[in-house]
């Protein structure tokens, strides 16, 4: 019977001690959190702004050029800023040499194009050797094309006539929204791919009609999807 008051006293003393320790524990936790945040900021501040430069080439456009009626040779250069931001410029030379058996139309064009933009590394650990990108591009091409055909019937008189027009001037401005991955294969060598949604902004076409192919953009259309497979050297 005498143990009960002693037990009650000890319980109250333990409760009072625990309550008195809570502010100290909260203060210690807060100090620890501040130290972690301060360390993270210090680490971020010590990362150099310039982290390197990379050059790359696209194999998809090259394969299109070799195996199909149109394609492009393309190279790119990008700058690494703090492993998060990657300003990039892409330049290339597009070519088309196509003909349609049913319409007897032949189309030829070859001209340079350029894109400029920026990619963002969205990986949680931005210093990982592998990266996931999202970004955008502004692109432009000014070019000429030749159009020829034999045996086209006149819609009014029904007579067959030939078309042979060269040096038709055209231009095109468009945007590209980019998503892709980039992985280190060995040392400075990297491989990666991008998927692109292209949206035309403005174009200037000759009176003969819209071009069948736009260098850097691809086949004629208001919006289209594209892709690249890049081999990159990062310095």
């Amino acid at each position: 019977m005498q143990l009960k008051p002693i037990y009650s006293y000890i319980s109250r003393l333990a409760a009072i001690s625990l309550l008195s320790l809570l502010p100290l524990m909260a203060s210690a936790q807060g100090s620890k959190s501040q130290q972690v945040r301060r360390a993270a900021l210090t680490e971020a501040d010590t990362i150099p702004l310039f982290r390197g430069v990379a050059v790359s080439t696209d194999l998809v456009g090259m394969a299109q050029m070799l195996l199909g009626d149109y394609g492009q040779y393309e190279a790119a250069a990008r700058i690494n800023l703090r492993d998060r931001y990657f300003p990039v410029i892409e330049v290339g030379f597009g070519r088309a040499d196509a003909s349609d058996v049913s319409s007897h139309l032949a189309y030829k064009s070859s001209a340079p194009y350029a894109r400029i933009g920026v990619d963002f590394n969205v990986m949680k650990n931005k210093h990982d050797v592998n990266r996931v990108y999202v970004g955008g591009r502004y692109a432009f091409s000014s070019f000429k094309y030749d159009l020829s055909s034999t045996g086209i019937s006149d819609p009014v008189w029904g007579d067959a006539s030939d078309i042979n027009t060269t040096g038709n001037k055209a231009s095109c401005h468009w945007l590209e929204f980019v998503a892709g991955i980039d992985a280190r294969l060995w040392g400075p060598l990297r491989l990666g791919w991008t998927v692109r949604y292209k949206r035309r902004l403005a174009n200037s076409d000759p009176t003969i009609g819209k071009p069948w192919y736009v260098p850097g953009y691809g086949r004629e259309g208001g919006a289209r999807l594209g892709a690249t497979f890049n081999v990159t050297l990062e310095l």
Side-chain angles (χ1 to χ4, degrees):
M1 296 296 295
Q2 295 179 355
L3 293 176
K4 186 174 182 181
I6 297 174
Y7 176 77
S8 178
Y9 173 77
I10 294 175
S11 299
R12 286 197 298 271
L13 183 61
I16 292 171
S17 301
L18 180 60
L19 290 174
S20 65
L21 288 174
L22 286 177
L24 295 176
M25 293 171 63
S27 177
Q29 185 66 28
S31 299
K32 185 177 181 181
S33 299
Q34 291 177 358
Q35 291 174 0
V36 171
R37 287 195 296 268
R38 191 178 299 112
L41 289 174
T42 302
E43 182 183 358
D45 291 340
T46 59
I47 297 172
L49 174 64
F50 179 74
R51 299 279 285 168
V53 63
V55 293
S56 63
T57 187
D58 168 41
L59 300 184
V60 172
M62 192 181 302
Q64 289 178 323
M65 179 85 79
L66 296 175
L67 303 176
D69 296 330
Y70 65 92
Q72 59 272 339
Y73 298 116
E74 181 175 303
R78 71 185 184 199
I79 298 174
N80 182 347
L81 301 179
R82 292 201 168 120
D83 291 336
R84 183 69 76 188
Y85 309 102
F86 296 82
V88 59
I89 182 170
E90 301 168 340
V91 294
F93 187 84
R95 180 183 63 84
D97 188 354
S99 59
D100 187 274
V101 177
S102 59
S103 65
H104 305 287
L105 284 171
Y107 180 94
K108 291 185 179 181
S109 178
S110 58
Y113 62 91
R115 308 188 194 98
I116 187 170
V118 62
D119 290 330
F120 302 91
N121 180 12
V122 296
M123 291 277 286
K124 184 176 182 180
N125 178 14
K126 64 181 181 179
H127 303 304
D128 197 301
V129 295
N130 303 317
R131 302 173 186 134
V132 179
Y133 296 112
V134 294
R137 307 281 190 275
Y138 162 76
F140 172 76
S141 181
S142 179
F143 58 101
K144 298 179 180 179
Y145 67 89
D146 302 337
L147 187 65
S148 62
S149 178
T150 58
I152 293 183
S153 299
D154 188 287
V156 178
W157 305 105
D159 298 333
S161 61
D162 297 340
I163 295 177
N164 189 10
T165 174
T166 60
N168 300 286
K169 294 182 180 181
S171 63
C172 185
H173 304 254
W174 70 94
L175 294 177
E176 297 187 6
F177 302 95
V178 182
I181 62 172
D182 182 36
R184 188 171 72 179
L185 186 63
W186 173 82
L189 181 62
R190 307 180 68 90
L191 296 178
W193 55 263
T194 68
V195 176
R196 303 175 179 227
Y197 175 78
K198 304 179 183 182
R199 185 70 183 179
R200 186 188 298 272
L201 290 177
N203 56 282
S204 175
D205 301 324
T207 56
I208 195 171
K210 292 182 179 295
W212 179 79
Y213 166 81
V214 177
Y217 182 88
R219 292 279 301 273
E220 168 63 27
R224 57 179 288 108
L225 291 175
T228 65
F229 184 81
N230 305 307
V231 179
T232 303
L233 285 177
E234 189 169 69
L235 308 176

